[in-house]
Amino acid sequence: MDAEEKVSRYLEKIKKEDKKIKAFIELNPNVLEEAREIDRKIKQRKAGTLAGLAIAIKSNINVRGLRATCASKTLENYVSAYDATVIERIKREDGVIIGMTNMDEFACGSSGETSYFGPTQNPAAPGRIPGGSSSGSAAAVAAQFCDIALGSDTGGSIRNPASHCGVVGLKPTYGLVPRYGLIDLAMSLDQIGPIARDVYFTALMLEVIAGYNPMECTTINVPKQEYSKNLSRNIAGYKIGFAREFEEFTDPKIMGVIKNSLKKLENLGAEIVDVQLPNLGKGLSTYYLTVFVEFFSATRKFDGRRYGYKIEEVCGREVLRRILLGKYISQKEYSGKYYKKALQFRSLIKQELLAALSGVDVIAGPTVPKLPHELGTKIEDPLIMYGYDVLTVPANLAGIPGGVIKAGEAEGIPVGLQIQGKPLEEQRILNVMYALESNSGSRHDEKRI
Amino acid sequence: MRDDEQSESERNAERWIEMKVIIGFEIHEQLNTKTKLYCDSPTNYRDVPPNTHVCEVCTGMPGAKPYPVNQDAIDAAVEIALMLNCEIVKEPIYIQRKHYDYPDLPSGYQRTSLPIGRNGSLSGIGIWEVHLEEDPGKYDPITGKVDYNRSGVPLVEVVTAPEIYSPEDARNFLRELTKVLSYTGKVRPEGGTMRTDTNISIEGGARVEIKNINSIKGAYRALKFEITRQKNLRKRGVAVKRETRAFLEAQMITKTMRVKEEAEDYRYIPDPDIPPLVITSAKIESIKKTMPEAPHLKEQRFIRQYGIKKDDAWAITGEIEMADAFEEVCKEIDPKTAAPFFRHIIKKKLNFDNKTFSESGLTAGDITTILKSMNLGELTASSGELVIRGIIEEHKPALHIIEEKGLKRITEKDVVEKAVEEAIAENQRAVQDYLSGKVEALNFVVGSVMRKTRGRADAQTVLEMLKRKLEK
Ligand SMILES: [Zn+2]
């Protein structure tokens, strides 16, 4: 099947099903033309590694000519004038951008419900939230609207919806993937990463988007890795850490599924080792204090002078709450009290995670402590919502990579196993996921359409 | 009784006038790097239409991130700090976001570094810190339009201790600082880029900040006005409010911008997009090796090394290009001859034309030529001045000017002698008058010789030659 034909099938499926799912905010009007162009390249054997793959992009990443709305009225009419670095890299490898996906407004949320364009459905668990904030990206992959999607992860925004939607997601090491062109939530935590239906596509996309950008201060200068080529199912002898603290926070139904997949890993030759994460629960407040302050700073440009609306006047409740809290705690009189303290606590959490990782290859555990709630459930207390992130924020605070793969189901709802690794050791995470994936019989070549 | 009261208040007034004035400055100057501080857009925004030297970064487009801090700008700030005798901060230097809401600020915050240099001094006045900032865009309140060409242009900010005690001292300090900055060659040479905020208080009164000062003259006028205003308030028994005032240059007054209670909270945070700067000892050493001698040190050295007067040395070191030319000239010319020529002839003309030495087109070579010719008696002092004027006005080399204007003094004896003989032959009556005792009659003959030589002969020489000839 050529790229044009595949893209038209995706478009048909989207046309039929996305009214209900709401994975996309906007489709690329030139996608077929672009696919035809790539087909010509494929015939000439000049196409890149993503040749003809349909890629969905989270609406907080700039794609020239498409709207990067951040699912907010604030940027309703903002058409990107430039490509994010990751988009340049995808285009260079001949990926086809199929459209811009739905998300929590400005990536502020873990449910996919705060979008100005309406909530996204979970294709893998109808009636439930898909998780967030990369809700549309995970849903588009789960609903087979695309081959691969890009999400962004500040405190779990790739891993959380990947878990709820039963797909594969990876948050890379902070600085491995350029952020240039990603609209900020919290600059010191944000990372772009792939969401895909299998580990191979996840690895393939990661190797395209990862790598140093000399024009970006926070990218890491390391040699390019060929993650897809180096995928290996052989995890015999891997030491996989598990922390008892995970259980304190997690629904036993989910824990059951997780324990089951740890057994599978043991059967594959890995050794499960106890690690300690005594400060696991303290990550949340550190994380949110950091997010509030950085998000307040990042949104100052939406002052109504350039992009139509002043953010505070048109945004949803959660975005406004974060801006106002950020404004409050960044006041001069509190400067030592919150943000700086958060930065200090952050290094403690990082040390703890790195210490736990030092004796093992990866740490495996649950991704989200609770099953996704039903769409439309009123959750008035933001702390309950924030609680969804308790297991995912530590990786962002420490800057380490974390991958998610479906471990099984609880009450018919997908449950994702989270695998965290040392900085820049994405390959080990991918390998563990790859081993688990082939063990569950969901290999990429079987599911490819 | 009444008289007593009046004299009492007058005595009070006298006391207010005696009160000590305390002034401090925050001076911003644009650095002349090729590109902006956090992107590759060019900095020569003056020469181009609005919003043409811009990109995603300097217009703060959603998702854009700063490039690594412009190394030339960092080096310039370090050099300026060193020239102001600062200690360079060795610890990581964070770039902070200073948040405020104004149309010229595309991201809603300005990036400003923590101090790069600290604890310096200039002309006996403490320099608290030197740091880097980015210029905002330019907002036109009348059209409501913003030009982002200037947005992101690097600025160096110098903060002084409040150790200046009069508007006159303030003016002298700013002149000296401008001199040091221009010596480094790292700031924009085309004047008018200096922006200054000043703090002023009168002993025992609240501190007032004045913004919008754009020149040394402006600073002087703003301070004069403000001192009078504050003293008048105190005379009437009214307390001076702690506030920020704007200087309105056209009206030469200051006006309240905001009082202390409304003081802005900039909510500084370290910019998460930019790792802190680290300035290594090796870097400091390499900058020290290539940086110019500070003007006051150069002045002292000139006095010592060339034995010239302090006033001459001060004038010559006013501009590094002039100081360099002077040293070049002194390789062939006696400094004691060259120095007054620089100060009284060259500097006078530059001041008159309001030009800098580097703009004038004068070269050490031209000046050496002129001074040599004067020493040899080939050029008179006034011709020397004419040549300087010619070079500056007509942009031609000294020899051309001398040639064209026929300024070379005629020293070839035969030419003068011939003219003298002709003049004697043509003016027999005057010659007879002279010989018969009318001494002044000879002036007429001298005049004739001078006309024949088009003024290039030395009148004294002609006179002596005539006398010799007629006495034979
Ligand atoms: Zn720019």
Side-chain angles (χ1 to χ4, degrees):
Chain A
M1 193 179 355
D2 59 19
E4 186 185 356
E5 193 182 341
K6 189 165 65 169
V7 166
S8 357
R9 285 198 197 177
Y10 279 139
L11 289 177
E12 255 169 60
K13 202 164 159 47
I14 292 167
K15 206 172 162 193
K16 242 191 290 171
E17 299 171 23
D18 201 38
K19 276 203 182 70
K20 207 177 76 201
I21 292 176
K22 288 194 177 136
F24 285 97
I25 291 175
E26 180 176 57
L27 293 173
N28 177 4
N30 305 316
V31 65
L32 284 170
E33 198 182 304
E34 287 168 23
R36 273 195 291 277
E37 178 58 36
I38 284 160
D39 279 332
R40 271 193 288 277
K41 277 191 174 178
I42 293 172
K43 277 197 197 97
Q44 296 167 346
R45 299 183 173 278
K46 278 184 187 162
T49 53
L50 296 178
L53 294 180
I55 319 293
I57 308 294
K58 190 174 181 179
S59 287
N60 58 356
I61 299 172
N62 280 276
V63 180
R64 196 188 175 92
L66 297 181
R67 286 186 302 156
T69 58
C70 289
S72 178
K73 188 176 169 67
T74 315
L75 290 176
E76 191 180 16
N77 301 312
Y78 167 64
V79 178
S80 300
Y82 71 103
D83 279 332
T85 307
V86 291
I87 300 300
E88 282 176 0
R89 291 177 180 181
I90 288 172
K91 287 181 175 174
R92 203 185 304 144
E93 293 300 332
D94 298 312
V96 187
I97 310 293
I98 189 163
M100 305 299 289
T101 60
N102 207 351
M103 58 186 279
D104 278 295
E105 184 180 16
F106 280 103
C108 294
S110 314
S111 71
E113 294 169 298
T114 67
S115 167
Y116 169 65
F117 301 96
T120 303
Q121 277 273 355
N122 186 337
R128 302 262 166 179
I129 57 160
S133 66
S134 308
S135 46
S137 289
V141 170
Q144 303 203 17
F145 291 163
C146 62
D147 292 303
I148 310 174
L150 286 190
S152 68
D153 190 314
T154 307
S157 283
I158 287 174
R159 291 161 289 158
N160 170 304
S163 175
H164 289 334
C165 294
V167 295
V168 183
L170 185 95
K171 179 210 99 74
T173 304
Y174 183 80
L176 178 65
V177 175
R179 290 182 297 122
Y180 194 91
L182 170 69
I183 300 176
D184 303 317
L185 167 54
M187 294 67 74
S188 69
L189 300 164
D190 296 340
Q191 264 294 283
I192 296 172
I195 298 176
R197 73 177 66 120
D198 61 33
V199 177
Y200 177 79
F201 273 174
T202 306
L204 189 68
M205 179 54 92
L206 182 65
E207 76 192 27
V208 169
I209 61 175
Y212 183 51
N213 172 13
M215 287 298 131
E216 188 177 325
C217 314
T218 55
T219 56
I220 310 171
N221 191 358
V222 283
K224 271 262 186 200
Q225 301 287 313
E226 295 184 300
Y227 301 106
S228 63
K229 211 192 222 174
N230 296 332
L231 277 178
S232 163
R233 296 189 182 95
N234 181 8
I235 57 162
Y238 264 53
K239 282 190 175 174
I240 297 178
F242 177 81
R244 293 214 171 278
E245 290 86 359
F246 290 148
E247 294 181 77
E248 285 173 35
F249 296 93
T250 310
D251 181 338
K253 290 191 287 288
I254 292 172
M255 241 14 262
V257 178
I258 296 301
K259 288 253 167 104
N260 209 9
S261 67
L262 291 176
K263 271 208 193 81
K264 278 185 200 159
L265 290 172
E266 248 178 336
N267 292 340
L268 290 165
E271 184 193 343
I272 307 297
V273 181
D274 274 338
V275 294
Q276 269 82 44
L277 296 174
N279 287 303
L280 182 67
K282 290 178 186 150
L284 264 190
S285 54
T286 306
Y287 168 78
Y288 274 99
L289 288 176
T290 308
V291 167
F292 295 156
V293 171
E294 294 189 14
F295 185 57
F296 166 76
S297 177
T299 51
R300 294 312 83 211
K301 65 180 61 174
F302 306 120
D303 56 10
R305 294 188 179 100
R306 284 164 296 266
Y307 307 105
Y309 304 104
K310 187 171 157 79
I311 188 167
E312 288 89 342
E313 286 166 7
V314 296
C315 69
R317 281 171 63 187
E318 182 56 28
V319 167
L320 187 61
R321 175 172 18 246
R322 293 186 187 196
I323 291 173
L324 295 179
L325 285 168
K327 186 178 182 182
Y328 178 77
I329 64 179
S330 61
Q331 287 177 88
K332 202 174 169 188
E333 50 183 315
Y334 300 134
S335 74
K337 213 168 157 188
Y338 296 112
Y339 186 65
K340 287 209 179 109
K341 212 161 242 173
L343 289 177
Q344 282 162 14
F345 210 81
R346 191 168 161 177
S347 62
L348 176 78
I349 288 168
K350 182 174 182 173
Q351 280 162 25
E352 180 177 294
L353 254 171
L354 292 179
L357 278 163
S358 68
V360 297
D361 291 292
V362 295
I363 291 175
T367 311
V368 190
K370 291 178 291 181
L371 291 173
H373 60 258
E374 284 177 12
L375 267 168
T377 311
K378 285 261 173 293
I379 298 178
E380 294 294 339
D381 184 354
L383 293 182
I384 293 175
M385 196 66 102
Y386 296 169
Y388 273 124
D389 305 331
V390 66
L391 303 172
T392 45
V393 297
N396 301 82
L397 292 170
I400 60 167
V404 167
I405 186 163
K406 186 174 169 182
E409 293 184 351
E411 298 176 353
I413 299 163
V415 168
L417 177 74
Q418 178 179 212
I419 298 152
Q420 301 176 76
K422 293 175 197 136
L424 300 172
E425 293 198 350
E426 278 76 6
Q427 190 70 55
R428 278 180 217 248
I429 294 173
L430 289 164
N431 286 353
V432 172
M433 296 200 294
Y434 199 47
L436 201 60
E437 177 184 62
S438 54
N439 190 253
S440 338
S442 61
R443 291 179 42 207
H444 86 275
D445 23 39
E446 289 161 27
K447 277 182 105 185
R448 242 171 138 164
I449 54 170
Chain B
M1 182 79 177
R2 220 154 200 248
D3 283 346
D4 271 8
E5 265 178 6
Q6 249 174 4
S7 60
E8 174 70 26
S9 74
E10 252 161 44
R11 270 199 299 279
N12 269 339
E14 285 305 310
R15 223 171 64 223
W16 295 131
I17 289 160
E18 294 298 304
M19 304 233 77
K20 199 163 154 192
V21 173
I22 302 163
I23 298 165
F25 281 116
E26 288 171 21
I27 301 114
H28 304 80
E29 187 81 59
Q30 282 182 348
L31 297 173
N32 65 353
T33 53
K34 284 200 180 68
T35 54
K36 294 184 181 179
L37 195 48
Y38 300 110
C39 66
D40 276 348
S41 304
T43 50
N44 57 334
Y45 62 88
R46 285 182 177 78
D47 316 331
V48 296
N51 294 310
T52 51
H53 282 180
V54 294
C55 70
E56 302 111 58
V57 179
C58 54
T59 54
M61 300 257 288
K65 309 277 180 285
Y67 293 2
V69 188
N70 186 330
Q71 188 62 47
D72 290 344
I74 300 171
D75 291 354
V78 171
E79 182 170 328
I80 288 166
L82 287 171
M83 294 279 286
L84 296 172
N85 301 309
C86 287
E87 299 156 11
I88 302 301
V89 175
K90 300 278 178 55
E91 299 77 44
I93 300 164
Y94 283 88
I95 309 290
Q96 296 208 294
R97 291 183 175 189
K98 175 184 182 179
H99 301 90
Y100 63 92
D101 182 30
Y102 198 69
D104 65 4
L105 212 52
S107 296
Y109 54 81
Q110 181 188 27
R111 294 191 180 92
T112 153
S113 85
L114 287 175
I116 288 175
R118 275 193 294 239
N119 302 328
S121 69
L122 176 68
S123 310
I125 287 148
I127 303 292
W128 269 349
E129 65 168 270
V130 172
H131 69 254
L132 272 176
E133 279 189 359
E134 60 179 338
D135 220 344
K138 221 173 192 169
Y139 173 61
D140 181 348
I142 294 160
T143 60
K145 284 187 179 152
V146 183
D147 176 8
Y148 291 112
N149 280 349
R150 197 180 73 178
S151 173
V153 169
L155 295 175
V156 66
E157 177 171 343
V158 177
V159 182
T160 78
E163 293 176 351
I164 303 168
Y165 305 112
S166 74
E168 289 72 25
D169 287 351
R171 185 167 59 188
N172 288 339
F173 172 80
L174 290 177
R175 281 181 183 155
E176 197 58 30
L177 179 69
T178 308
K179 201 201 280 187
V180 171
L181 293 177
S182 79
Y183 254 57
T184 64
K186 307 287 180 189
V187 297
R188 297 241 147 230
E190 64 272 55
T193 59
M194 189 192 83
R195 267 159 284 159
T196 301
D197 300 338
T198 179
N199 290 306
I200 171 166
S201 58
I202 295 179
E203 207 175 4
R207 204 178 57 148
V208 172
E209 191 182 4
I210 310 170
K211 291 191 176 283
N212 285 352
I213 298 172
N214 296 316
S215 64
I216 296 176
K217 203 194 276 171
Y220 179 75
R221 286 174 174 170
L223 287 168
K224 276 284 205 198
F225 174 85
E226 191 56 24
I227 290 168
T228 311
R229 188 189 70 88
Q230 291 188 19
K231 281 185 175 170
N232 284 340
L233 283 176
R234 298 271 291 266
K235 259 188 247 174
R236 287 189 274 126
V238 181
V240 174
K241 268 191 304 224
R242 170 121 189 238
E243 62 177 344
T244 302
R245 300 176 70 84
F247 177 55
L248 309 179
E249 180 124 41
Q251 292 148 270
M252 288 204 272
I253 59 164
T254 66
K255 206 178 145 194
T256 299
M257 273 172 88
R258 55 175 179 266
V259 293
K260 198 211 167 197
E261 293 79 63
E262 305 164 10
E264 262 187 283
D265 182 349
Y266 296 118
R267 295 182 161 77
Y268 286 101
I269 60 162
D271 193 319
D273 287 331
I274 308 171
L277 311 176
V278 176
I279 298 168
T280 62
S281 308
K283 184 90 213 173
I284 297 170
E285 286 315 308
S286 85
I287 290 174
K288 271 186 183 165
K289 259 184 215 139
T290 54
M291 73 183 203
E293 184 182 20
H296 69 281
L297 296 178
K298 201 184 276 290
E299 181 187 320
Q300 286 159 21
R301 178 169 66 80
F302 278 18
I303 297 168
R304 210 173 51 237
Q305 181 178 340
Y306 297 112
I308 61 175
K309 285 190 203 146
K310 189 182 183 328
D311 286 350
D312 290 349
W314 183 82
I316 293 165
T317 54
E319 210 186 318
I320 192 164
E321 289 83 359
M322 186 165 9
D324 289 347
F326 175 76
E327 293 205 86
E328 194 60 35
V329 168
C330 288
K331 287 179 183 163
E332 295 187 54
I333 306 290
D334 179 6
K336 292 197 182 69
T337 313
F341 186 77
F342 267 80
R343 180 172 153 216
H344 296 295
I345 307 297
I346 298 176
K347 189 85 181 161
K348 190 177 98 186
K349 171 65 178 164
L350 294 177
N351 286 347
F352 186 78
D353 286 6
N354 196 18
K355 268 190 181 146
T356 62
F357 185 85
S358 49
E359 286 164 348
S360 72
L362 288 170
T363 66
D366 280 335
I367 299 167
T368 306
T369 304
I370 296 168
L371 286 171
K372 256 189 186 162
S373 301
M374 283 168 61
N375 281 348
L376 289 171
E378 293 171 357
L379 273 183
T380 59
S382 54
S383 296
E385 191 170 355
L386 283 176
V387 181
I388 290 291
R389 269 156 64 176
I391 296 170
I392 295 174
E393 284 160 14
E394 296 165 36
H395 311 289
K396 287 175 189 157
L399 286 173
H400 261 89
I401 307 274
I402 295 171
E403 189 83 6
E404 260 179 35
K405 297 202 189 297
L407 291 172
K408 195 155 196 171
R409 188 189 293 191
I410 294 169
T411 50
E412 303 92 80
K413 258 212 170 124
D414 44 345
V415 178
V416 182
E417 216 166 321
K418 196 172 156 242
V420 167
E421 279 162 8
E422 277 175 25
I424 292 171
E426 286 164 18
N427 298 289
Q428 273 305 313
R429 246 182 85 183
V431 169
Q432 291 312 318
D433 285 350
Y434 169 72
L435 289 175
S436 60
K438 282 189 182 167
V439 182
E440 65 277 8
L442 199 56
N443 290 340
F444 188 77
V445 188
V446 171
S448 170
V449 176
M450 293 310 277
R451 271 192 300 279
K452 284 177 184 296
T453 60
R454 295 183 12 243
R456 290 172 294 167
D458 185 59
Q460 196 57 40
T461 318
V462 171
L463 186 66
E464 276 159 20
M465 201 182 273
L466 269 173
K467 280 181 184 167
R468 256 185 284 123
K469 285 213 181 277
L470 294 175
E471 274 155 23
K472 272 184 201 160

